[in-house]
PDB file of all heavy atoms in Angstrom:
ATOM      1  N   ASP C 196      39.390-105.041 -91.500  1.00  0.00           N
ATOM      2  CA  ASP C 196      39.596-106.471 -91.495  1.00  0.00           C
ATOM      3  C   ASP C 196      38.805-107.233 -90.441  1.00  0.00           C
ATOM      4  O   ASP C 196      39.169-108.281 -90.049  1.00  0.00           O
ATOM      5  CB  ASP C 196      41.070-106.813 -91.461  1.00  0.00           C
ATOM      6  CG  ASP C 196      41.799-106.078 -90.388  1.00  0.00           C
ATOM      7  OD1 ASP C 196      41.103-105.258 -89.668  1.00  0.00           O
ATOM      8  OD2 ASP C 196      43.008-106.290 -90.142  1.00  0.00           O
ATOM      9  N   GLY C 216      45.092-107.124 -71.348  1.00  0.00           N
ATOM     10  CA  GLY C 216      44.862-108.041 -72.444  1.00  0.00           C
ATOM     11  C   GLY C 216      46.057-108.131 -73.325  1.00  0.00           C
ATOM     12  O   GLY C 216      46.945-107.309 -73.291  1.00  0.00           O
ATOM     13  N   PRO C 217      46.116-109.159 -74.139  1.00  0.00           N
ATOM     14  CA  PRO C 217      47.288-109.388 -75.005  1.00  0.00           C
ATOM     15  C   PRO C 217      47.516-108.208 -75.971  1.00  0.00           C
ATOM     16  O   PRO C 217      46.562-107.486 -76.346  1.00  0.00           O
ATOM     17  CB  PRO C 217      46.959-110.669 -75.735  1.00  0.00           C
ATOM     18  CG  PRO C 217      45.553-110.992 -75.458  1.00  0.00           C
ATOM     19  CD  PRO C 217      45.144-110.263 -74.273  1.00  0.00           C
ATOM     20  N   SER C 218      48.677-108.101 -76.358  1.00  0.00           N
ATOM     21  CA  SER C 218      49.037-107.022 -77.325  1.00  0.00           C
ATOM     22  C   SER C 218      48.197-107.179 -78.593  1.00  0.00           C
ATOM     23  O   SER C 218      48.129-108.214 -79.078  1.00  0.00           O
ATOM     24  CB  SER C 218      50.566-107.095 -77.628  1.00  0.00           C
ATOM     25  OG  SER C 218      50.854-106.364 -78.721  1.00  0.00           O
ATOM     26  N   GLY C 219      47.666-106.072 -79.035  1.00  0.00           N
ATOM     27  CA  GLY C 219      46.848-106.090 -80.252  1.00  0.00           C
ATOM     28  C   GLY C 219      45.483-106.607 -80.116  1.00  0.00           C
ATOM     29  O   GLY C 219      44.793-106.858 -81.080  1.00  0.00           O
ATOM     30  N   HIS C 306      61.438 -77.201 -72.327  1.00  0.00           N
ATOM     31  CA  HIS C 306      62.016 -78.056 -73.351  1.00  0.00           C
ATOM     32  C   HIS C 306      60.928 -78.395 -74.390  1.00  0.00           C
ATOM     33  O   HIS C 306      59.765 -78.675 -73.988  1.00  0.00           O
ATOM     34  CB  HIS C 306      62.522 -79.393 -72.748  1.00  0.00           C
ATOM     35  CG  HIS C 306      63.886 -79.283 -72.217  1.00  0.00           C
ATOM     36  ND1 HIS C 306      64.290 -78.290 -71.346  1.00  0.00           N
ATOM     37  CD2 HIS C 306      64.995 -80.071 -72.412  1.00  0.00           C
ATOM     38  CE1 HIS C 306      65.554 -78.489 -71.050  1.00  0.00           C
ATOM     39  NE2 HIS C 306      66.002 -79.528 -71.664  1.00  0.00           N
ATOM     40  N   ARG C 310      63.294 -82.693 -77.348  1.00  0.00           N
ATOM     41  CA  ARG C 310      64.432 -82.655 -76.460  1.00  0.00           C
ATOM     42  C   ARG C 310      64.124 -83.384 -75.111  1.00  0.00           C
ATOM     43  O   ARG C 310      64.896 -83.278 -74.105  1.00  0.00           O
ATOM     44  CB  ARG C 310      64.852 -81.213 -76.167  1.00  0.00           C
ATOM     45  CG  ARG C 310      65.405 -80.545 -77.440  1.00  0.00           C
ATOM     46  CD  ARG C 310      65.785 -79.147 -77.127  1.00  0.00           C
ATOM     47  NE  ARG C 310      66.741 -79.051 -76.060  1.00  0.00           N
ATOM     48  CZ  ARG C 310      66.956 -78.013 -75.357  1.00  0.00           C
ATOM     49  NH1 ARG C 310      66.262 -76.940 -75.530  1.00  0.00           N
ATOM     50  NH2 ARG C 310      67.887 -78.001 -74.356  1.00  0.00           N
ATOM     51  N   SER C 312      63.152 -87.111 -73.100  1.00  0.00           N
ATOM     52  CA  SER C 312      63.213 -88.603 -73.368  1.00  0.00           C
ATOM     53  C   SER C 312      61.821 -89.187 -73.436  1.00  0.00           C
ATOM     54  O   SER C 312      60.813 -88.467 -73.130  1.00  0.00           O
ATOM     55  CB  SER C 312      63.975 -89.221 -72.175  1.00  0.00           C
ATOM     56  OG  SER C 312      63.137 -89.332 -71.044  1.00  0.00           O
ATOM     57  N   GLY C 314      60.183 -91.366 -71.672  1.00  0.00           N
ATOM     58  CA  GLY C 314      59.433 -91.366 -70.434  1.00  0.00           C
ATOM     59  C   GLY C 314      59.028 -89.967 -70.004  1.00  0.00           C
ATOM     60  O   GLY C 314      57.976 -89.799 -69.430  1.00  0.00           O
ATOM     61  N   MET C 315      59.852 -89.054 -70.263  1.00  0.00           N
ATOM     62  CA  MET C 315      59.498 -87.657 -69.932  1.00  0.00           C
ATOM     63  C   MET C 315      58.292 -87.143 -70.732  1.00  0.00           C
ATOM     64  O   MET C 315      57.408 -86.473 -70.232  1.00  0.00           O
ATOM     65  CB  MET C 315      60.719 -86.724 -70.188  1.00  0.00           C
ATOM     66  CG  MET C 315      61.830 -86.992 -69.218  1.00  0.00           C
ATOM     67  SD  MET C 315      63.413 -86.380 -69.876  1.00  0.00           S
ATOM     68  CE  MET C 315      63.673 -84.962 -68.822  1.00  0.00           C
ATOM     69  N   ARG C 318      55.270 -88.428 -69.290  1.00  0.00           N
ATOM     70  CA  ARG C 318      54.808 -87.715 -68.101  1.00  0.00           C
ATOM     71  C   ARG C 318      54.216 -86.319 -68.458  1.00  0.00           C
ATOM     72  O   ARG C 318      53.259 -85.891 -67.740  1.00  0.00           O
ATOM     73  CB  ARG C 318      55.992 -87.590 -67.138  1.00  0.00           C
ATOM     74  CG  ARG C 318      56.317 -88.886 -66.433  1.00  0.00           C
ATOM     75  CD  ARG C 318      57.412 -88.761 -65.480  1.00  0.00           C
ATOM     76  NE  ARG C 318      58.701 -88.909 -66.163  1.00  0.00           N
ATOM     77  CZ  ARG C 318      59.863 -88.441 -65.655  1.00  0.00           C
ATOM     78  NH1 ARG C 318      59.893 -87.745 -64.501  1.00  0.00           N
ATOM     79  NH2 ARG C 318      61.012 -88.609 -66.299  1.00  0.00           N
ATOM     80  N   GLU C 336      48.305 -97.180 -71.354  1.00  0.00           N
ATOM     81  CA  GLU C 336      49.655 -97.505 -70.937  1.00  0.00           C
ATOM     82  C   GLU C 336      50.450 -96.237 -70.607  1.00  0.00           C
ATOM     83  O   GLU C 336      51.514 -95.989 -71.195  1.00  0.00           O
ATOM     84  CB  GLU C 336      50.335 -98.305 -71.983  1.00  0.00           C
ATOM     85  CG  GLU C 336      49.573 -99.502 -72.461  1.00  0.00           C
ATOM     86  CD  GLU C 336      50.374-100.457 -73.361  1.00  0.00           C
ATOM     87  OE1 GLU C 336      51.602-100.474 -73.212  1.00  0.00           O
ATOM     88  OE2 GLU C 336      49.750-101.123 -74.136  1.00  0.00           O
ATOM     89  N   ALA C 340      56.768 -96.421 -70.183  1.00  0.00           N
ATOM     90  CA  ALA C 340      58.159 -96.163 -70.448  1.00  0.00           C
ATOM     91  C   ALA C 340      58.841 -95.595 -69.197  1.00  0.00           C
ATOM     92  O   ALA C 340      59.906 -94.986 -69.257  1.00  0.00           O
ATOM     93  CB  ALA C 340      58.337 -95.178 -71.581  1.00  0.00           C
ATOM     94  N   LEU C 341      58.256 -95.863 -67.997  1.00  0.00           N
ATOM     95  CA  LEU C 341      58.858 -95.312 -66.805  1.00  0.00           C
ATOM     96  C   LEU C 341      59.572 -96.379 -65.978  1.00  0.00           C
ATOM     97  O   LEU C 341      59.188 -97.533 -65.949  1.00  0.00           O
ATOM     98  CB  LEU C 341      57.733 -94.671 -65.966  1.00  0.00           C
ATOM     99  CG  LEU C 341      56.953 -93.561 -66.631  1.00  0.00           C
ATOM    100  CD1 LEU C 341      55.927 -92.983 -65.645  1.00  0.00           C
ATOM    101  CD2 LEU C 341      57.903 -92.414 -67.086  1.00  0.00           C
ATOM    102  N   ASP C 342      60.630 -95.904 -65.324  1.00  0.00           N
ATOM    103  CA  ASP C 342      61.313 -96.821 -64.429  1.00  0.00           C
ATOM    104  C   ASP C 342      60.483 -97.028 -63.232  1.00  0.00           C
ATOM    105  O   ASP C 342      59.525 -96.327 -62.940  1.00  0.00           O
ATOM    106  CB  ASP C 342      62.683 -96.187 -64.012  1.00  0.00           C
ATOM    107  CG  ASP C 342      62.465 -94.849 -63.327  1.00  0.00           C
ATOM    108  OD1 ASP C 342      61.850 -93.910 -63.982  1.00  0.00           O
ATOM    109  OD2 ASP C 342      62.802 -94.720 -62.132  1.00  0.00           O
ATOM    110  N   ALA C 343      60.782 -98.083 -62.462  1.00  0.00           N
ATOM    111  CA  ALA C 343      59.981 -98.493 -61.305  1.00  0.00           C
ATOM    112  C   ALA C 343      59.743 -97.341 -60.351  1.00  0.00           C
ATOM    113  O   ALA C 343      58.599 -97.058 -59.939  1.00  0.00           O
ATOM    114  CB  ALA C 343      60.683 -99.670 -60.573  1.00  0.00           C
ATOM    115  N   GLN C 344      60.786 -96.601 -60.066  1.00  0.00           N
ATOM    116  CA  GLN C 344      60.626 -95.533 -59.053  1.00  0.00           C
ATOM    117  C   GLN C 344      59.675 -94.448 -59.533  1.00  0.00           C
ATOM    118  O   GLN C 344      58.770 -94.108 -58.911  1.00  0.00           O
ATOM    119  CB  GLN C 344      62.029 -94.962 -58.780  1.00  0.00           C
ATOM    120  CG  GLN C 344      62.079 -93.789 -57.892  1.00  0.00           C
ATOM    121  CD  GLN C 344      61.500 -94.044 -56.500  1.00  0.00           C
ATOM    122  OE1 GLN C 344      61.428 -95.197 -56.133  1.00  0.00           O
ATOM    123  NE2 GLN C 344      61.090 -93.021 -55.848  1.00  0.00           N
ATOM    124  N   LEU C 347      56.146 -95.595 -59.762  1.00  0.00           N
ATOM    125  CA  LEU C 347      55.493 -95.549 -58.434  1.00  0.00           C
ATOM    126  C   LEU C 347      55.008 -94.208 -58.068  1.00  0.00           C
ATOM    127  O   LEU C 347      53.888 -93.992 -57.568  1.00  0.00           O
ATOM    128  CB  LEU C 347      56.518 -96.095 -57.343  1.00  0.00           C
ATOM    129  CG  LEU C 347      55.937 -96.515 -56.009  1.00  0.00           C
ATOM    130  CD1 LEU C 347      55.087 -97.741 -56.219  1.00  0.00           C
ATOM    131  CD2 LEU C 347      57.121 -96.838 -55.066  1.00  0.00           C
ATOM    132  N   HIS C 369      49.901-103.302 -68.816  1.00  0.00           N
ATOM    133  CA  HIS C 369      50.333-104.744 -68.965  1.00  0.00           C
ATOM    134  C   HIS C 369      50.850-105.222 -67.664  1.00  0.00           C
ATOM    135  O   HIS C 369      51.318-106.456 -67.583  1.00  0.00           O
ATOM    136  CB  HIS C 369      51.393-104.864 -70.046  1.00  0.00           C
ATOM    137  CG  HIS C 369      50.858-104.632 -71.452  1.00  0.00           C
ATOM    138  ND1 HIS C 369      49.719-105.359 -71.892  1.00  0.00           N
ATOM    139  CD2 HIS C 369      51.172-103.743 -72.427  1.00  0.00           C
ATOM    140  CE1 HIS C 369      49.485-104.981 -73.125  1.00  0.00           C
ATOM    141  NE2 HIS C 369      50.279-103.988 -73.465  1.00  0.00           N
ATOM    142  N   GLY C 423      47.085-116.308 -69.746  1.00  0.00           N
ATOM    143  CA  GLY C 423      47.738-117.388 -70.487  1.00  0.00           C
ATOM    144  C   GLY C 423      49.009-117.921 -69.814  1.00  0.00           C
ATOM    145  O   GLY C 423      49.743-118.700 -70.439  1.00  0.00           O
ATOM    146  N   HIS C 424      49.295-117.397 -68.667  1.00  0.00           N
ATOM    147  CA  HIS C 424      50.513-117.887 -68.026  1.00  0.00           C
ATOM    148  C   HIS C 424      50.252-119.285 -67.440  1.00  0.00           C
ATOM    149  O   HIS C 424      49.310-119.439 -66.674  1.00  0.00           O
ATOM    150  CB  HIS C 424      50.899-117.010 -66.840  1.00  0.00           C
ATOM    151  CG  HIS C 424      51.550-115.689 -67.296  1.00  0.00           C
ATOM    152  ND1 HIS C 424      52.834-115.371 -67.057  1.00  0.00           N
ATOM    153  CD2 HIS C 424      51.026-114.701 -68.064  1.00  0.00           C
ATOM    154  CE1 HIS C 424      53.064-114.197 -67.577  1.00  0.00           C
ATOM    155  NE2 HIS C 424      52.012-113.785 -68.209  1.00  0.00           N
ATOM    156  N   LEU C 428      55.373-120.614 -64.528  1.00  0.00           N
ATOM    157  CA  LEU C 428      56.266-119.649 -65.153  1.00  0.00           C
ATOM    158  C   LEU C 428      56.541-118.472 -64.253  1.00  0.00           C
ATOM    159  O   LEU C 428      55.744-118.203 -63.352  1.00  0.00           O
ATOM    160  CB  LEU C 428      55.619-119.162 -66.452  1.00  0.00           C
ATOM    161  CG  LEU C 428      55.984-119.908 -67.707  1.00  0.00           C
ATOM    162  CD1 LEU C 428      55.275-119.305 -68.881  1.00  0.00           C
ATOM    163  CD2 LEU C 428      57.432-119.977 -67.922  1.00  0.00           C
TER     164      LEU C 428
ATOM    165  N   ASP E 230      71.936 -78.327 -73.314  1.00  0.00           N
ATOM    166  CA  ASP E 230      71.808 -77.834 -71.937  1.00  0.00           C
ATOM    167  C   ASP E 230      72.705 -78.683 -70.959  1.00  0.00           C
ATOM    168  O   ASP E 230      72.414 -78.730 -69.794  1.00  0.00           O
ATOM    169  CB  ASP E 230      70.353 -77.868 -71.462  1.00  0.00           C
ATOM    170  CG  ASP E 230      69.684 -79.243 -71.806  1.00  0.00           C
ATOM    171  OD1 ASP E 230      70.361 -80.048 -72.464  1.00  0.00           O
ATOM    172  OD2 ASP E 230      68.541 -79.422 -71.461  1.00  0.00           O
ATOM    173  N   GLY E 250      67.727 -97.257 -65.208  1.00  0.00           N
ATOM    174  CA  GLY E 250      67.923 -95.932 -64.640  1.00  0.00           C
ATOM    175  C   GLY E 250      66.678 -95.086 -64.716  1.00  0.00           C
ATOM    176  O   GLY E 250      65.741 -95.418 -65.471  1.00  0.00           O
ATOM    177  N   PRO E 251      66.691 -94.004 -63.942  1.00  0.00           N
ATOM    178  CA  PRO E 251      65.452 -93.245 -63.931  1.00  0.00           C
ATOM    179  C   PRO E 251      65.123 -92.613 -65.288  1.00  0.00           C
ATOM    180  O   PRO E 251      65.997 -92.489 -66.163  1.00  0.00           O
ATOM    181  CB  PRO E 251      65.769 -92.159 -62.946  1.00  0.00           C
ATOM    182  CG  PRO E 251      67.221 -92.217 -62.657  1.00  0.00           C
ATOM    183  CD  PRO E 251      67.661 -93.572 -63.075  1.00  0.00           C
ATOM    184  N   SER E 252      63.841 -92.323 -65.482  1.00  0.00           N
ATOM    185  CA  SER E 252      63.372 -91.808 -66.735  1.00  0.00           C
ATOM    186  C   SER E 252      64.123 -90.489 -67.052  1.00  0.00           C
ATOM    187  O   SER E 252      64.315 -89.626 -66.148  1.00  0.00           O
ATOM    188  CB  SER E 252      61.891 -91.487 -66.588  1.00  0.00           C
ATOM    189  OG  SER E 252      61.444 -90.743 -67.741  1.00  0.00           O
ATOM    190  N   GLY E 253      64.635 -90.326 -68.220  1.00  0.00           N
ATOM    191  CA  GLY E 253      65.344 -89.093 -68.609  1.00  0.00           C
ATOM    192  C   GLY E 253      66.768 -89.064 -68.173  1.00  0.00           C
ATOM    193  O   GLY E 253      67.402 -87.961 -68.223  1.00  0.00           O
ATOM    194  N   HIS E 340      49.921-105.779 -93.029  1.00  0.00           N
ATOM    195  CA  HIS E 340      49.373-104.575 -92.436  1.00  0.00           C
ATOM    196  C   HIS E 340      50.375-103.441 -92.435  1.00  0.00           C
ATOM    197  O   HIS E 340      51.535-103.621 -92.195  1.00  0.00           O
ATOM    198  CB  HIS E 340      48.913-104.767 -90.945  1.00  0.00           C
ATOM    199  CG  HIS E 340      47.556-105.396 -90.810  1.00  0.00           C
ATOM    200  ND1 HIS E 340      47.169-106.522 -91.527  1.00  0.00           N
ATOM    201  CD2 HIS E 340      46.479-105.019 -90.071  1.00  0.00           C
ATOM    202  CE1 HIS E 340      45.994-106.895 -91.200  1.00  0.00           C
ATOM    203  NE2 HIS E 340      45.517-105.957 -90.259  1.00  0.00           N
ATOM    204  N   ARG E 344      48.046 -99.506 -89.020  1.00  0.00           N
ATOM    205  CA  ARG E 344      46.920-100.437 -88.715  1.00  0.00           C
ATOM    206  C   ARG E 344      47.330-101.457 -87.692  1.00  0.00           C
ATOM    207  O   ARG E 344      46.643-102.446 -87.463  1.00  0.00           O
ATOM    208  CB  ARG E 344      46.440-101.101 -90.036  1.00  0.00           C
ATOM    209  CG  ARG E 344      45.766-100.154 -90.982  1.00  0.00           C
ATOM    210  CD  ARG E 344      45.300-100.828 -92.156  1.00  0.00           C
ATOM    211  NE  ARG E 344      44.385-101.927 -91.871  1.00  0.00           N
ATOM    212  CZ  ARG E 344      44.175-102.949 -92.650  1.00  0.00           C
ATOM    213  NH1 ARG E 344      44.828-103.056 -93.808  1.00  0.00           N
ATOM    214  NH2 ARG E 344      43.362-103.922 -92.304  1.00  0.00           N
ATOM    215  N   SER E 346      48.641-102.243 -83.553  1.00  0.00           N
ATOM    216  CA  SER E 346      48.616-101.640 -82.254  1.00  0.00           C
ATOM    217  C   SER E 346      50.082-101.278 -81.831  1.00  0.00           C
ATOM    218  O   SER E 346      51.070-101.738 -82.443  1.00  0.00           O
ATOM    219  CB  SER E 346      48.005-102.574 -81.244  1.00  0.00           C
ATOM    220  OG  SER E 346      48.902-103.587 -80.862  1.00  0.00           O
ATOM    221  N   GLY E 348      51.927-102.278 -79.340  1.00  0.00           N
ATOM    222  CA  GLY E 348      52.732-103.446 -79.008  1.00  0.00           C
ATOM    223  C   GLY E 348      53.121-104.256 -80.220  1.00  0.00           C
ATOM    224  O   GLY E 348      54.205-104.803 -80.334  1.00  0.00           O
ATOM    225  N   MET E 349      52.217-104.239 -81.191  1.00  0.00           N
ATOM    226  CA  MET E 349      52.548-104.975 -82.443  1.00  0.00           C
ATOM    227  C   MET E 349      53.651-104.230 -83.205  1.00  0.00           C
ATOM    228  O   MET E 349      54.540-104.920 -83.764  1.00  0.00           O
ATOM    229  CB  MET E 349      51.247-105.053 -83.290  1.00  0.00           C
ATOM    230  CG  MET E 349      50.160-105.962 -82.648  1.00  0.00           C
ATOM    231  SD  MET E 349      48.582-105.588 -83.370  1.00  0.00           S
ATOM    232  CE  MET E 349      48.297-106.918 -84.410  1.00  0.00           C
ATOM    233  N   ARG E 352      56.866-105.072 -81.836  1.00  0.00           N
ATOM    234  CA  ARG E 352      57.332-106.420 -82.195  1.00  0.00           C
ATOM    235  C   ARG E 352      57.815-106.491 -83.611  1.00  0.00           C
ATOM    236  O   ARG E 352      58.760-107.193 -83.927  1.00  0.00           O
ATOM    237  CB  ARG E 352      56.225-107.443 -81.962  1.00  0.00           C
ATOM    238  CG  ARG E 352      56.019-107.727 -80.453  1.00  0.00           C
ATOM    239  CD  ARG E 352      54.965-108.753 -80.241  1.00  0.00           C
ATOM    240  NE  ARG E 352      53.586-108.175 -80.217  1.00  0.00           N
ATOM    241  CZ  ARG E 352      52.519-108.897 -80.493  1.00  0.00           C
ATOM    242  NH1 ARG E 352      52.545-110.135 -80.808  1.00  0.00           N
ATOM    243  NH2 ARG E 352      51.309-108.238 -80.404  1.00  0.00           N
ATOM    244  N   GLU E 370      64.074-100.259 -74.483  1.00  0.00           N
ATOM    245  CA  GLU E 370      62.732-100.637 -73.998  1.00  0.00           C
ATOM    246  C   GLU E 370      61.914-101.347 -75.064  1.00  0.00           C
ATOM    247  O   GLU E 370      60.833-100.914 -75.352  1.00  0.00           O
ATOM    248  CB  GLU E 370      62.029 -99.430 -73.434  1.00  0.00           C
ATOM    249  CG  GLU E 370      62.845 -98.602 -72.439  1.00  0.00           C
ATOM    250  CD  GLU E 370      62.028 -97.574 -71.802  1.00  0.00           C
ATOM    251  OE1 GLU E 370      60.817 -97.712 -71.642  1.00  0.00           O
ATOM    252  OE2 GLU E 370      62.601 -96.520 -71.396  1.00  0.00           O
ATOM    253  N   ALA E 374      55.694-102.025 -74.291  1.00  0.00           N
ATOM    254  CA  ALA E 374      54.278-101.969 -74.486  1.00  0.00           C
ATOM    255  C   ALA E 374      53.637-103.378 -74.611  1.00  0.00           C
ATOM    256  O   ALA E 374      52.594-103.495 -75.201  1.00  0.00           O
ATOM    257  CB  ALA E 374      53.994-101.150 -75.767  1.00  0.00           C
ATOM    258  N   LEU E 375      54.326-104.391 -74.080  1.00  0.00           N
ATOM    259  CA  LEU E 375      53.813-105.731 -74.234  1.00  0.00           C
ATOM    260  C   LEU E 375      53.131-106.204 -73.000  1.00  0.00           C
ATOM    261  O   LEU E 375      53.643-105.945 -71.876  1.00  0.00           O
ATOM    262  CB  LEU E 375      54.900-106.653 -74.707  1.00  0.00           C
ATOM    263  CG  LEU E 375      55.575-106.287 -76.079  1.00  0.00           C
ATOM    264  CD1 LEU E 375      56.669-107.362 -76.339  1.00  0.00           C
ATOM    265  CD2 LEU E 375      54.517-106.253 -77.138  1.00  0.00           C
ATOM    266  N   ASP E 376      52.161-107.052 -73.144  1.00  0.00           N
ATOM    267  CA  ASP E 376      51.523-107.719 -71.950  1.00  0.00           C
ATOM    268  C   ASP E 376      52.507-108.776 -71.463  1.00  0.00           C
ATOM    269  O   ASP E 376      53.387-109.174 -72.205  1.00  0.00           O
ATOM    270  CB  ASP E 376      50.212-108.310 -72.377  1.00  0.00           C
ATOM    271  CG  ASP E 376      50.369-109.332 -73.487  1.00  0.00           C
ATOM    272  OD1 ASP E 376      50.823-108.970 -74.621  1.00  0.00           O
ATOM    273  OD2 ASP E 376      50.075-110.489 -73.230  1.00  0.00           O
ATOM    274  N   ALA E 377      52.234-109.170 -70.261  1.00  0.00           N
ATOM    275  CA  ALA E 377      53.129-110.094 -69.601  1.00  0.00           C
ATOM    276  C   ALA E 377      53.445-111.341 -70.419  1.00  0.00           C
ATOM    277  O   ALA E 377      54.585-111.768 -70.646  1.00  0.00           O
ATOM    278  CB  ALA E 377      52.589-110.538 -68.245  1.00  0.00           C
ATOM    279  N   GLN E 378      52.367-111.891 -71.013  1.00  0.00           N
ATOM    280  CA  GLN E 378      52.492-113.140 -71.759  1.00  0.00           C
ATOM    281  C   GLN E 378      53.376-112.958 -73.025  1.00  0.00           C
ATOM    282  O   GLN E 378      54.369-113.684 -73.215  1.00  0.00           O
ATOM    283  CB  GLN E 378      51.130-113.662 -72.149  1.00  0.00           C
ATOM    284  CG  GLN E 378      51.090-114.861 -73.044  1.00  0.00           C
ATOM    285  CD  GLN E 378      51.737-116.058 -72.418  1.00  0.00           C
ATOM    286  OE1 GLN E 378      51.907-116.138 -71.186  1.00  0.00           O
ATOM    287  NE2 GLN E 378      52.167-117.045 -73.217  1.00  0.00           N
ATOM    288  N   LEU E 381      56.940-112.270 -72.219  1.00  0.00           N
ATOM    289  CA  LEU E 381      57.682-113.512 -71.895  1.00  0.00           C
ATOM    290  C   LEU E 381      58.093-114.210 -73.153  1.00  0.00           C
ATOM    291  O   LEU E 381      59.235-114.652 -73.290  1.00  0.00           O
ATOM    292  CB  LEU E 381      56.740-114.354 -71.066  1.00  0.00           C
ATOM    293  CG  LEU E 381      57.413-115.539 -70.265  1.00  0.00           C
ATOM    294  CD1 LEU E 381      58.319-114.999 -69.187  1.00  0.00           C
ATOM    295  CD2 LEU E 381      56.385-116.409 -69.698  1.00  0.00           C
ATOM    296  N   HIS E 403      62.922-100.939 -67.790  1.00  0.00           N
ATOM    297  CA  HIS E 403      62.580-100.458 -66.472  1.00  0.00           C
ATOM    298  C   HIS E 403      62.151-101.551 -65.558  1.00  0.00           C
ATOM    299  O   HIS E 403      61.822-101.379 -64.410  1.00  0.00           O
ATOM    300  CB  HIS E 403      61.483 -99.474 -66.571  1.00  0.00           C
ATOM    301  CG  HIS E 403      61.871 -98.215 -67.220  1.00  0.00           C
ATOM    302  ND1 HIS E 403      62.959 -97.441 -66.738  1.00  0.00           N
ATOM    303  CD2 HIS E 403      61.434 -97.506 -68.303  1.00  0.00           C
ATOM    304  CE1 HIS E 403      63.148 -96.374 -67.484  1.00  0.00           C
ATOM    305  NE2 HIS E 403      62.269 -96.378 -68.448  1.00  0.00           N
ATOM    306  N   LEU E 456      67.865 -97.910 -57.167  1.00  0.00           N
ATOM    307  CA  LEU E 456      66.958 -97.095 -57.985  1.00  0.00           C
ATOM    308  C   LEU E 456      66.139 -96.157 -57.135  1.00  0.00           C
ATOM    309  O   LEU E 456      65.333 -95.396 -57.621  1.00  0.00           O
ATOM    310  CB  LEU E 456      66.075 -97.987 -58.847  1.00  0.00           C
ATOM    311  CG  LEU E 456      66.713 -98.641 -60.040  1.00  0.00           C
ATOM    312  CD1 LEU E 456      65.803 -99.670 -60.678  1.00  0.00           C
ATOM    313  CD2 LEU E 456      67.216 -97.580 -61.031  1.00  0.00           C
ATOM    314  N   GLY E 457      66.323 -96.226 -55.808  1.00  0.00           N
ATOM    315  CA  GLY E 457      65.660 -95.230 -54.927  1.00  0.00           C
ATOM    316  C   GLY E 457      64.486 -95.751 -54.246  1.00  0.00           C
ATOM    317  O   GLY E 457      63.740 -95.003 -53.604  1.00  0.00           O
ATOM    318  N   HIS E 458      64.208 -97.046 -54.350  1.00  0.00           N
ATOM    319  CA  HIS E 458      63.071 -97.644 -53.578  1.00  0.00           C
ATOM    320  C   HIS E 458      63.453 -97.775 -52.136  1.00  0.00           C
ATOM    321  O   HIS E 458      64.487 -98.354 -51.811  1.00  0.00           O
ATOM    322  CB  HIS E 458      62.734 -99.018 -54.102  1.00  0.00           C
ATOM    323  CG  HIS E 458      62.003 -98.985 -55.396  1.00  0.00           C
ATOM    324  ND1 HIS E 458      60.733 -99.452 -55.569  1.00  0.00           N
ATOM    325  CD2 HIS E 458      62.385 -98.589 -56.601  1.00  0.00           C
ATOM    326  CE1 HIS E 458      60.366 -99.322 -56.838  1.00  0.00           C
ATOM    327  NE2 HIS E 458      61.369 -98.749 -57.511  1.00  0.00           N
ATOM    328  N   LEU E 462      58.577-100.462 -49.711  1.00  0.00           N
ATOM    329  CA  LEU E 462      57.585-100.158 -50.772  1.00  0.00           C
ATOM    330  C   LEU E 462      57.308-101.405 -51.601  1.00  0.00           C
ATOM    331  O   LEU E 462      58.132-102.301 -51.679  1.00  0.00           O
ATOM    332  CB  LEU E 462      58.143 -99.062 -51.673  1.00  0.00           C
ATOM    333  CG  LEU E 462      57.800 -97.671 -51.234  1.00  0.00           C
ATOM    334  CD1 LEU E 462      58.316 -96.669 -52.220  1.00  0.00           C
ATOM    335  CD2 LEU E 462      56.230 -97.490 -51.122  1.00  0.00           C
TER     336      LEU E 462
END
Side-chain angles (χ1 to χ4, degrees):
Chain C
D196 48 358
S218 167
H306 276 50
R310 293 179 57 204
S312 77
M315 293 159 106
R318 285 182 276 157
E336 305 189 31
L341 299 181
D342 60 298
Q344 172 63 20
L347 195 64
H369 289 305
H424 284 244
L428 270 180
Chain E
D230 48 357
S252 169
H340 277 49
R344 294 180 56 204
S346 78
M349 292 160 106
R352 285 182 276 158
E370 306 189 30
L375 300 181
D376 60 297
Q378 174 62 20
L381 195 66
H403 289 305
L456 286 171
H458 283 243
L462 270 180

